[in-house]
Amino acid sequence: MTPTNLTLNQKSRELVIEWPDGETHSLSCEYLRVYSPSAEVRGHGPGQEKLQIGKENVNITAIEPVGYYAVKLVFDDNHDSGLYDWKLLYDLGKNQQQHWSDYLQRLAAHGYQRKAPGQII
């Protein structure tokens, strides 16, 4: 499924994705950054994932289309190697609460406290 619209709001640090099934997902730049599909974040195989820490204030500076199947998000921390295909973006939106909860649990397990604890994804 291909989004019908992508809107980046840099002030609120959110990417709003509208889908043809009527769903709309608002995803924070931090959330998208920590769930980047890049090898830098996910590694090259199971167990090689690298927990992303300190991304509370990251923003997206550019969205570059990749064919008809994905976008490359360019972040202001110079991360730009992940290709976010439509299936991944839909999953990140549809399952946002579970993914975010998992991320917060992994941060806590590593003894890291987010610097923006009141921020809503």
Side-chain angles (χ1 to χ4, degrees), residues 31-59:
Y31 175 64
L32 290 164
R33 176 62 177 85
V34 302
Y35 277 99
S36 171
S38 70
E40 175 187 332
V41 174
R42 300 224 175 158
H44 293 285
Q48 295 183 358
E49 301 85 1
K50 182 177 178 194
L51 181 62
Q52 301 298 296
I53 294 175
K55 302 302 178 185
E56 294 90 332
N57 294 312
V58 73
N59 211 335

Side-chain angles (χ1 to χ4, degrees), residues 79-105:
H79 180 76
D80 67 356
S81 59
L83 297 183
Y84 294 76
D85 66 31
W86 306 140
K87 183 178 177 182
L88 172 63
L89 285 172
Y90 192 82
D91 174 68
L92 288 173
K94 189 78 168 169
N95 300 300
Q96 185 172 182
Q97 294 303 332
Q98 182 61 49
H99 290 310
W100 188 248
S101 177
D102 291 345
Y103 175 66
L104 294 178
Q105 287 174 7

Side-chain angles (χ1 to χ4, degrees), residues 1-4 6 19 64-72 83-87 89:
M1 181 167 30
T2 303
T4 56
L6 294 172
W19 299 95
E64 301 173 1
V66 179
Y68 293 104
Y69 69 95
V71 289
K72 179 169 92 168
L83 297 183
Y84 294 76
D85 66 31
W86 306 140
K87 183 178 177 182
L89 285 172

Side-chain angles (χ1 to χ4, degrees), residues 8 13-14 27-33 58-60 75:
L8 175 62
R13 294 184 172 115
E14 290 182 317
L27 309 176
S28 74
C29 294
E30 177 187 6
Y31 175 64
L32 290 164
R33 176 62 177 85
V58 73
N59 211 335
I60 294 171
F75 295 89

